[in-house]
Amino acid sequence: DGGITQSPKYLFRKEGQNVTLSCEQNLNHDAMYWYRQDPGQGLRLIYYSQIVNDFQKGDIAEGYSVSREKKESFPLTVTSAQKNPTAFYLCASSLWGRGAGQPQHFGDGTRLSIL
Amino acid sequence: KNQVEQSPQSLIILEGKNCTLQCNYTVSPFSNLRWYKQDTGRGPVSLTIMTFSENTKSNGRYTATLDADTKQSSLHITASQLSDSASYICVVGVGSQGNLIFGKGTKLSVKP
């Protein structure tokens, strides 16, 4: 079955540590996204990539970094500069860029907590 | 400021009953409106996408309506099932760039 796989499902970060969240898709979608979901808030865009080797900052990119070396993969690194990383992180993809009005397909998320 | 407001914040209904969730938006320029269903601990799943010219779109027991004049949308769920218990998120697309504004969601609980 085609879909988006996020791993790990749960992740714990120590003070001063960088952690990387994995996102892989086999839908052959061009665009990929990272969102952060906090209780009682709407999803907020962290980073967006329309094609390989290209990505753009979203609304809350500070303290995060991404890479897009392969079409299928879009890992997110939460750096030590992100002082409040505890949240549910969702990866998504769409067939074309977000301006095309295509539905976004989401993974099942990674829940990140601070130790 | 582009905003999406959903109501009610939470809702409890009995299995088999119908319900309607509301979404009001102040987004310009409007591109499209989406409804997603998110089960607890899972990622959202797309239910419908509507553009400016569409008034109604159905997906099984889910029917979304859009009134672009009043900037309101509703999601009607018919003959609810226990599996409908989830958060329902309204999302509005902005202009040609495709920025998405997410509502905070309505949490629906269907009780037997």
Side-chain angles (χ1 to χ4, degrees), chain B:
Chain B
K1 181 182 177 182
N2 290 324
Q3 283 186 316
V4 174
E5 301 286 344
Q6 292 187 243
S7 62
Q9 189 173 353
S10 62
L11 181 63
I12 301 174
I13 62 173
L14 292 176
E15 185 179 12
K17 298 296 186 183
N18 303 336
C19 68
T20 300
L21 313 181
Q22 299 290 341
C23 174
N24 295 340
Y25 61 92
T26 53
V27 170
S28 182
F30 175 88
S31 174
N32 56 72
L33 188 142
R34 310 160 184 228
W35 283 95
Y36 284 87
K37 176 187 178 187
Q38 184 177 23
D39 292 322
T40 301
R42 305 290 299 273
V45 174
S46 179
L47 294 175
T48 64
I49 295 181
M50 290 184 290
T51 60
F52 185 89
S53 59
E54 296 174 292
N55 300 119
T56 302
K57 185 166 277 190
S58 292
N59 179 354
R61 294 179 297 101
Y62 300 101
T63 299
T65 64
L66 173 63
D67 186 334
D69 292 331
T70 61
K71 298 187 177 182
Q72 296 180 327
S73 175
S74 64
L75 181 69
H76 186 74
I77 304 174
T78 303
S80 61
Q81 301 176 358
L82 298 179
S83 60
D84 292 330
S85 295
S87 287
Y88 291 84
I89 302 172
C90 176
V91 187
V92 179
V94 184
S96 60
Q97 292 300 310
N99 293 346
L100 298 179
I101 310 297
F102 287 78
K104 296 178 180 180
T106 291
K107 186 172 183 178
L108 174 66
S109 297
V110 180
K111 302 295 185 183

Side-chain angles (χ1 to χ4, degrees), chain A residues 1-46:
Chain A
D1 283 339
I4 298 180
T5 301
Q6 290 188 240
S7 63
K9 191 168 180 64
Y10 299 96
L11 186 58
F12 297 91
R13 195 193 87 170
K14 296 179 181 179
E15 290 288 336
Q17 185 182 43
N18 294 351
V19 293
T20 298
L21 285 59
S22 171
C23 177
E24 304 278 333
Q25 56 102 355
N26 60 4
L27 298 166
N28 200 32
H29 284 176
D30 284 337
M32 296 187 75
Y33 315 79
W34 274 105
Y35 292 95
R36 171 176 171 145
Q37 188 173 36
D38 293 283
Q41 293 195 39
L43 272 68
R44 292 181 290 170
L45 182 66
I46 304 172

Side-chain angles (χ1 to χ4, degrees), chain A residues 48-65:
Chain A
Y48 156 62
S49 169
Q50 185 152 343
I51 57 172
V52 173
N53 292 324
D54 181 67
F55 46 82
Q56 300 171 31
K57 293 181 179 180
D59 301 319
I60 55 166
E62 185 174 352
Y64 301 98
S65 66

